Amino acid sequence: MAAPTSHKLFSALNCRSNPDFSAPPPSFNRRLNSAAFYGPSAIILRFPPNCTGTAPFPPAPAETLSSAAISAEIAADDNVSAGAGGNGAVPVQFSGSVDSSSYSFLKSDGSMAIHAAERLGRGIVTDAITTPVVNTSAYFFKKTADLIDFKEKRQFSFEYGRYGNPTTIVLEEKLSALEGAESTLIMASGMCASTVLLMALVPAGGHLVTTTDCYRKTRIFIETVLPKMGIKASVIDPADVTALESALEENNVSLFFTESPTNPFLRCVDIKLVSEICHRKGALVCIDGTFATPLNQKALALGADLVLHSATKYIGGHNDVLGGYISGPDKLVSQVRTLHHVLGGTLNPNAAYLFIRGLKTLHLRVQQQNSTALRMAKILEEHPKVKHVYYPGLPSHPEHQLAMRQMTGFGGVVSFEIDGDLITTIKFVDALKIPYIAPSFGGCESIVDQPAIMSYWDLPQLERAKYGINDNLVRFSFGVEDFEDLKADVLQALEVI
Ligand SMILES: Cc1ncc(COP(=O)(O)O)c(C=O)c1O
């Protein structure tokens, strides 16, 4: 793009010029499946989209430049390209999507979480290191012909905030990179992701399989809402492969939907094995890997069709934002996306920014949380005032060997039972000085909760016990505080009881 003269100062000061958009971006292909229709310039979306205008500021006066040499260079350069973020009509642009091939050489998840879809494969054109937050509910077209070109898939554009947003796409691409997925769909919460997925992938009157231990609200949705659509569920123990085979034999199962590890007992499902079994019967497998994080467990590589996360937990990582996503092949994700566009659980672009920011430290946080939780699980298991510890990193865990095979770390949450009753356990929880008493997990701040009170309070004790939720159960999410401080805090609280 030829630059107006007002751009010269900026390019002389080495602002980055527009990247080459001559090749259609890959996920743009995936999303619209119609890249062949688009010419090279058509895929550059301006920020604000479709906007051209005049330079908002006059060029800086020459005397503000620090060097005569720079001034001379500016004067000599009449044909500089428009620097993104420069002083021109188009300070930020969006290319339609990001180029995933440019970061495929990265070997580590940490580098990927930081740079994918931004430093490498950036879809938004800007000199800012960080991704701009595009706060808009709708996108305009300069003229009706452009709108028709968009409708006829000859031109890429966003249209309405519920259908897409440039900031959100950067987040989705980053998550796809981490999950090793073709496509990702981010939504307003983890529950939004799971409910939309279940409704999109299990037909009315259909059947799904799920596990006994799982997030309570997911169970409530499966038991009380899906039956209104005639959808039935078989509920199996996470390790009971025979029960899975029987459920598949006896029903026309569309989907096996399970957490691994599960909430709150951190049971693990053999993802490779159950995927093979389900695929033989034509059923899909979706793993809610929230407790694992995409770093500790690669559900798609293990054979699952889809992976789901409550991004509210480790992905955001700062206890300040809600979101949920699914990743997998474009064909399946698109099926869910279509329903999501109707139901409308859209993530706000400001929240997308917080997730992008959270992802930059995911590997550091998770490394620390894995380490602290494992060390604390071992200490708790040895402690006389602790009756039982549930943590897949411990040899005493029923799926320890499996967890060792399919996970590279066991996460920051440890569940355990205090040797005592409801009141003794409350005493322990209240004596803790570092963790907040709160729901949720996975963030920087440690969080503790007593499920009998936090999420199962409305059920009588006997009902709770059916789900294994005893009065003395504690779920402890270790944050990124110093290990020694956390250890001292837990030990002093155990001394109190
Ligand atoms: C395993 C699991 N999946 C899904 C969810 C729901 O996520 P959100 O709270 O983001 O809706 C939760 C919430 O705690 C969870 O623990």
Side-chain angles (χ1 to χ4, degrees):
M1 184 189 295
T5 41
S6 57
H7 284 130
K8 286 189 295 185
L9 294 177
F10 288 83
S11 50
L13 292 167
N14 290 328
C15 284
R16 193 163 41 76
S17 61
N18 278 345
D20 177 14
F21 289 126
S22 53
S27 54
F28 177 51
N29 288 352
R30 293 200 301 266
R31 193 154 297 206
L32 295 167
N33 203 21
S34 55
F37 286 105
Y38 300 90
S41 61
I43 58 169
I44 301 177
L45 272 195
R46 298 179 179 94
F47 178 84
N50 299 331
C51 175
T52 53
T54 50
F57 305 111
E63 58 270 25
T64 62
L65 297 175
S66 58
S67 138
I70 293 175
S71 299
E73 192 185 330
I74 294 162
D77 184 3
D78 259 348
N79 280 316
V80 289
S81 60
N87 201 5
V90 187
V92 183
Q93 296 176 322
F94 185 70
S95 68
S97 193
V98 298
D99 175 9
S100 55
S101 64
S102 68
Y103 50 79
S104 55
F105 77 95
L106 290 176
K107 293 278 179 286
S108 84
D109 282 340
S111 308
M112 198 94 86
I114 295 166
H115 289 309
E118 293 192 293
R119 173 72 179 89
L120 300 167
R122 184 183 289 260
I124 290 183
V125 183
T126 170
D127 274 353
I129 287 175
T130 54
T131 289
V133 180
V134 181
N135 270 315
T136 189
S137 56
Y139 307 84
F140 70 85
F141 297 85
K142 260 199 309 180
K143 51 187 189 308
T144 304
D146 288 349
L147 171 60
I148 293 170
D149 279 349
F150 162 70
K151 292 284 178 190
E152 296 289 320
K153 299 194 186 329
R154 287 187 294 274
Q155 178 178 309
F156 175 81
S157 177
F158 292 97
E159 181 186 5
Y160 188 57
R162 187 159 16 88
Y163 310 144
N165 175 282
T167 311
T168 305
I169 285 186
V170 172
L171 171 60
E172 289 179 339
E173 291 295 332
K174 244 186 213 305
L175 293 167
S176 288
L178 280 181
E179 297 287 2
E182 210 182 353
S183 191
T184 291
L185 168 63
I186 181 100
M187 289 172 256
S189 70
M191 275 315 292
C192 182
S194 52
T195 54
V196 178
L197 175 133
L198 288 166
M199 285 191 286
L201 298 183
V202 185
H207 201 100
L208 73 116
V209 180
T210 189
T211 46
T212 44
D213 190 35
C214 73
Y215 178 53
R216 186 165 176 224
K217 291 289 190 290
T218 307
R219 181 189 300 129
I220 288 173
F221 182 76
I222 290 172
E223 284 179 353
T224 66
V225 182
L226 289 183
K228 292 180 189 168
M229 297 161 213
I231 296 171
K232 294 200 174 101
S234 301
V235 185
I236 63 166
D237 180 273
D240 195 346
V241 173
T242 312
L244 174 64
E245 285 171 327
S246 308
L248 288 162
E249 203 58 54
E250 289 157 20
N251 306 282
N252 186 12
V253 176
S254 308
L255 179 70
F256 179 32
F257 182 85
T258 180
E259 295 160 18
S260 190
T262 59
N263 185 359
F265 292 110
L266 304 157
R267 298 287 306 277
C268 298
V269 173
D270 189 332
I271 300 171
K272 187 167 179 285
L273 181 63
V274 300
S275 299
E276 283 163 8
I277 292 171
C278 287
H279 292 163
R280 278 203 292 274
K281 289 283 182 186
L284 297 170
V285 173
C286 177
I287 301 293
D288 177 340
T290 303
F291 276 82
T293 80
L295 306 189
N296 285 332
Q297 180 175 278
K298 302 284 184 197
L300 298 178
L302 287 163
D305 299 281
L306 288 154
V307 65
L308 180 148
H309 286 264
S310 163
T312 314
K313 312 300 183 321
Y314 294 94
I315 304 291
H318 290 72
N319 292 315
D320 58 0
V321 61
L322 274 90
Y325 72 90
I326 58 156
S327 297
D330 192 44
K331 191 166 165 275
L332 289 176
V333 174
S334 295
Q335 226 174 302
V336 183
R337 198 184 292 276
T338 303
L339 181 60
H340 163 67
H341 287 175
V342 175
L343 296 181
T346 312
L347 189 78
N348 184 290
N350 297 287
Y353 180 81
L354 287 177
F355 284 123
I356 291 169
R357 177 166 146 150
L359 279 169
K360 315 252 175 182
T361 53
L362 179 69
H363 60 303
L364 303 174
R365 289 185 279 107
V366 168
Q367 213 173 306
Q368 169 92 356
Q369 288 168 295
N370 284 344
S371 159
T372 298
L374 180 58
R375 292 169 78 186
M376 285 307 305
K378 287 177 181 166
I379 291 168
L380 287 164
E381 196 168 46
E382 293 299 311
H383 201 285
K385 290 184 179 167
V386 175
K387 205 166 147 195
H388 194 85
V389 181
Y390 304 89
Y391 189 68
L394 293 177
S396 58
H397 184 279
E399 284 91 42
H400 176 62
Q401 289 307 323
L402 166 64
M404 297 274 281
R405 276 202 311 277
Q406 73 180 16
M407 300 177 81
T408 50
F410 309 106
V413 178
V414 180
S415 296
F416 53 96
E417 283 168 348
I418 295 292
D419 193 8
D421 59 9
L422 186 81
I423 301 301
T424 315
T425 309
I426 290 173
K427 221 167 151 188
F428 163 73
V429 167
D430 286 350
L432 289 162
K433 293 185 169 70
I434 293 178
Y436 288 96
I437 301 172
S440 202
F441 56 89
C444 290
E445 296 89 353
S446 289
I447 280 182
V448 67
D449 96 59
Q450 197 173 344
I453 299 175
M454 183 65 74
S455 36
Y456 285 82
W457 184 243
D458 57 310
L459 291 187
Q461 195 186 37
L462 277 179
E463 279 290 306
R464 296 198 293 260
K466 274 192 206 160
Y467 301 110
I469 309 293
N470 294 324
D471 290 348
N472 57 352
L473 181 67
V474 174
R475 196 185 70 178
F476 203 124
S477 169
F478 289 98
V480 297
E481 301 94 342
D482 182 75
F483 167 75
E484 292 299 337
D485 287 339
L486 285 166
K487 177 180 152 191
D489 192 28
V490 171
L491 292 180
Q492 69 77 25
L494 285 168
E495 279 311 302
V496 170
I497 60 174

